[in-house]
Amino acid sequence: MAPAPNNKIPIGNYVPLYVMLPLGVVSIENKFIDQEKIEKELKELKAAGVDGVMVDVWWGIIELKGPKQYDWSAYKCLFLLIQKIGLKIQAIMSFHQCGGNVGDVVYIPLPKWVLDIGEKDPDIFYTNRAGIRNKEYLSLGVDNQCLFQGRTAVQIYSDYMASFKENMLDLLEAGAIIDIEVGLGPAGELRYPSYPQTLGWKFPGIGEFQCYDKYMREDLRKTADNAGKPKFNLPDDAGTYNNTPDNTGFFKKEGTYQTEYGNFFLIWYSNKLILHGDQIIAEANKVFRGFPVKIAAKVSGIHWWYKDRSHAAELTAGYYNLSDRDGYRPIARMLSRHYASLNFTCLEMKDTEQPATAMSAPQELVQQVLSSGWKEFIDVAGENALARYDATAYDQILLNVRPNGINLHGPPKLKMAGLTYLRLSDDLMKQQNFDLFKKFVLKMHADLDPSPNFGNPAPLRSTQPEIPIEKLLEATKESRAFPWYPFTDMSVEGGNPFD
C-alpha cells in the first residue's frame, strides 16, 4: 500500500464508535442515578472523540405500572444530557429481562403486569423439554395471541415504540437519536434463550431447544399436518444444556439433525425466529419511517461448536447454520426489506483464545455473518461480547471493521457502519485503560478528526413488500465469505501505516 499522509485518507474510511452506558443508568425505580458522574464521564468520552452512546430502554421500567402506563421522564432527562454534550444516541428497545446473561450485573424483570399474566398462563414464556419456563422474554409463540389484556405481544412492542417516538419527538427530529435497535429476544438478540446461565447452562454447553410451550407445540403440529407429516413432533433426543454434541442422539455424527425429520424441524424452528424478527422490525419501520434514524436487529455470536459438523449451539439458538447451509444470510435478507442494519457480536475474539474442547471459531463466524450482511447490501454494525481493554482485542475489532484495510481512493469496499464498545465502566475509565481506548477511537476513525456529521442516516424509508419464505430460504445456499486481511493496518500500537 502506498504511503500517504493522514490528511489524504478519505473520510469514507471513518467508522463511528459508540459506547454502551451501564445497564442500570436508569434504575429499576425509574430514576436517572449518578447524574454528576455520568455527565463527567460523557464529557470525557466526547473529548476522546467518541461519536455517541448506546442506552438500554427497559420495558420493565417504562411500562411497569400497567398496560400503556408509560413513564419516559428519567430517560428524557438522560437523553437531553447526552444531546447537550454533543453525543449521538443509539436506543435499544429492550423488551427482555436484564439479568441472567453474560455480563449482567443488574436485575430488571419484565413488567409485573406481564409476569402476573404468566402466573396464570406460563406458556407465554419460552419453555424447554423439561417444562422449565424462561421469563427473560415472551415466547414468539404468543406474538399474535391476544393474551395481554386484549393485545398481542407484537402490539405491545409496537405501542411501546410509538410512545417512545411521541415522547422523544424533538430528539428524533433533531437527529440526536440515530439508531433504534429493536429487542427481539433474550439479551435483545434475535435468538431463542437456549443457553441461560440462571437455569444452569455453562460454557460451552450446546444449550436446549426452547419451543415446548403450548403455543409453539400447536404451531409445529399444524405445520407438520399441512406438510403431510403428522407424526413429526418436537425432538426428544437433543440432550440438555451442558451436553456436548456427541452425547446426544440429535447432534451426534449422523444424528437426527441430518434426517428428513431433523431438517423439517430445524427449518420450522429457524423460520419462526426469522418471521418473528420480520414482523416486529416491520412495526418499528412503521413507527420510525421518515425520521433520520436507522433501525437494527442484533444477532448473537454463538461461536462454540462452530467447528463441529452439527453447529449444535447455533441450532438450539435458532440459527440453522451448517457447513453447507448459511443460517445467517436469510436473516440479512429479511432485514433488507426494512432498510434495517444487522448488529453482530464477538468482534474482539480470536480462535486461539478459546479452549480447544469448545470447537470454537469466532473469527470464521464473524467473517461469515458480516459477509452475509454485505451480500444482501445492508449495513452491518457490531460490538464486542466481553469487556476487553487490551491491544489484542482492539486490533481484532479494527480488523473486522475494515477487513481489507484503508482505501486511499474512497470508502473501503468492506466496512462496518459502526462499532459499539461494551461498555462504560470504572475499569474503562482507569487511566491506563482509557489512554489505550483513546488510541482505539482514533484508529476506528482512520486517524481522522472526529466527524460529528459522518454517518448521519437519511430518513428511514418504508418497508418493501414481504419476501416469500421460499425467497428467504434461497439465501441459505452456501457461498464463500469475503477474504479478510490477516491483521489490521490500523493497529492501536503500530502507529499509522502511512507514516
Side-chain angles (χ1 to χ4, degrees):
M1 189 178 289
N6 292 8
N7 60 8
K8 295 296 185 182
I9 299 176
I11 186 66
N13 290 278
Y14 185 106
V15 178
L17 186 138
Y18 310 91
V19 174
M20 294 184 201
L21 294 192
L23 290 167
V25 64
V26 171
S27 72
I28 193 169
E29 294 83 15
N30 208 356
K31 304 293 183 185
F32 175 18
I33 57 177
D34 292 332
Q35 291 191 38
E36 289 186 9
K37 180 183 180 186
I38 292 295
E39 181 171 4
K40 176 178 179 291
E41 291 175 340
L42 289 174
K43 288 177 178 177
E44 290 183 62
L45 292 178
K46 176 67 176 176
V50 167
D51 298 276
V53 294
M54 177 178 273
V55 184
D56 281 282
V57 185
W58 297 105
W59 180 28
I61 292 175
I62 298 300
E63 203 173 352
L64 174 65
K65 295 179 181 177
K68 297 189 178 182
Q69 295 183 43
Y70 307 108
D71 181 356
W72 302 98
S73 55
Y75 279 99
K76 188 65 177 283
C77 182
L78 170 62
F79 285 5
L80 288 172
L81 174 62
I82 296 168
Q83 181 190 36
K84 182 183 79 171
I85 289 170
L87 294 166
K88 300 294 187 181
I89 300 165
Q90 297 178 309
I92 309 175
M93 303 291 100
S94 296
F95 297 121
H96 58 288
Q97 168 189 296
C98 180
N101 286 291
V102 176
D104 287 352
V105 293
V106 174
Y107 178 66
I108 302 168
L110 303 188
K112 184 178 184 303
W113 64 271
V114 174
L115 296 176
D116 288 344
I117 292 170
E119 288 295 314
K120 298 175 182 176
D121 183 3
D123 287 283
I124 68 173
F125 300 116
Y126 282 117
T127 306
N128 69 5
R129 184 169 174 264
I132 298 171
R133 316 292 184 172
N134 187 316
K135 298 181 181 180
E136 289 182 71
Y137 186 87
L138 294 175
S139 166
L140 61 81
V142 301
D143 277 354
N144 300 298
Q145 302 283 343
C146 289
L147 301 172
F148 305 94
Q149 301 191 10
R151 291 190 293 168
T152 68
V154 170
Q155 287 170 336
I156 289 174
Y157 305 143
S158 182
D159 290 343
Y160 181 94
M161 291 187 285
S163 179
F164 176 87
K165 178 187 73 174
E166 292 163 10
N167 284 270
M168 306 294 176
L169 195 61
D170 51 343
L171 292 158
L172 285 163
E173 291 177 337
I177 299 172
I178 59 165
D179 272 308
I180 304 292
E181 184 176 295
V182 184
L184 299 170
E189 297 167 337
L190 179 62
R191 64 172 174 89
Y192 294 93
S194 56
Y195 53 101
Q197 288 187 316
T198 52
L199 298 180
W201 173 85
K202 296 179 181 178
F203 179 85
I206 60 173
E208 293 187 33
F209 292 118
Q210 303 288 321
C211 51
Y212 295 82
D213 63 81
K214 69 182 181 184
Y215 302 103
M216 294 290 279
R217 284 179 180 273
E218 179 62 15
D219 191 278
L220 179 60
R221 188 191 64 78
K222 290 180 179 177
T223 304
D225 286 348
N226 291 339
K229 305 289 183 182
K231 293 184 178 180
F232 282 179
N233 209 325
L234 293 168
D236 60 5
D237 61 347
T240 55
Y241 289 120
N242 294 312
N243 277 134
T244 62
D246 287 342
N247 291 144
T248 73
F250 196 93
F251 299 112
K252 69 180 182 180
K253 185 178 180 181
E254 300 179 1
T256 305
Y257 81 96
Q258 293 180 302
T259 66
E260 179 193 6
Y261 159 70
N263 181 59
F264 171 86
F265 168 75
L266 291 168
I267 288 175
W268 170 80
Y269 189 69
S270 58
N271 283 0
K272 290 295 294 181
L273 193 66
I274 293 171
L275 295 175
H276 167 73
D278 187 44
Q279 195 172 1
I280 299 170
I281 293 291
E283 293 298 316
N285 182 284
K286 287 180 192 174
V287 170
F288 296 108
R289 69 182 53 165
F291 288 98
V293 297
K294 293 179 181 178
I295 53 175
K298 184 177 172 184
V299 172
S300 183
I302 300 178
H303 52 86
W304 54 105
W305 302 113
Y306 187 89
K307 291 180 181 176
D308 185 82
R309 69 177 67 216
S310 73
H311 289 243
E314 291 166 272
L315 299 192
T316 58
Y319 307 135
Y320 188 6
N321 188 56
L322 300 172
S323 60
D324 60 352
R325 188 186 196 279
D326 192 329
Y328 300 99
R329 192 167 174 183
I331 296 172
R333 183 166 294 183
M334 175 271 288
L335 294 173
S336 71
R337 86 175 184 102
H338 306 292
Y339 302 100
S341 304
L342 189 157
N343 188 18
F344 196 60
T345 63
C346 74
L347 296 183
E348 82 285 11
M349 293 183 177
K350 296 172 74 77
D351 293 2
T352 53
E353 297 170 341
Q354 310 304 317
T357 52
M359 300 286 281
S360 182
Q363 290 173 256
E364 290 83 349
L365 175 62
V366 168
Q367 282 186 252
Q368 180 189 349
V369 177
L370 300 194
S371 294
S372 294
W374 286 322
K375 289 171 185 176
E376 295 298 325
F377 306 103
I378 65 172
D379 280 343
V380 176
E383 58 195 51
N384 50 307
L386 302 174
R388 294 278 295 268
Y389 312 101
D390 58 288
T392 299
Y394 288 144
D395 282 355
Q396 186 61 30
I397 293 172
L398 288 161
L399 172 60
N400 287 324
V401 299
R402 287 182 295 257
N404 300 151
I406 296 294
N407 181 6
L408 298 180
H409 307 290
K413 179 184 176 183
L414 302 179
K415 187 192 76 168
M416 295 181 67
L419 185 283
T420 304
Y421 175 81
L422 181 153
R423 80 177 60 243
L424 178 61
S425 66
D426 291 342
D427 283 338
L428 174 63
M429 303 311 290
K430 289 177 180 176
Q431 190 67 52
Q432 182 176 352
N433 288 343
F434 199 60
D435 284 346
L436 186 60
F437 176 76
K438 286 189 282 188
K439 293 181 182 178
F440 172 57
V441 176
L442 184 62
K443 297 304 178 182
M444 284 289 300
H445 293 166
D447 281 341
L448 298 164
D449 291 334
S451 179
N453 298 314
F454 181 80
N456 282 3
L460 180 62
R461 290 182 282 173
S462 298
T463 282
Q464 299 176 80
E466 185 175 350
I467 302 173
I469 193 68
E470 297 78 15
K471 267 291 195 203
L472 288 177
L473 294 183
E474 285 178 9
T476 63
K477 184 178 180 182
E478 179 190 4
S479 62
R480 187 171 297 179
F482 291 121
W484 251 236
Y485 279 3
F487 48 83
T488 181
D489 59 356
M490 276 277 163
S491 171
V492 292
E493 292 185 327
N496 185 336
F498 307 113
D499 286 344

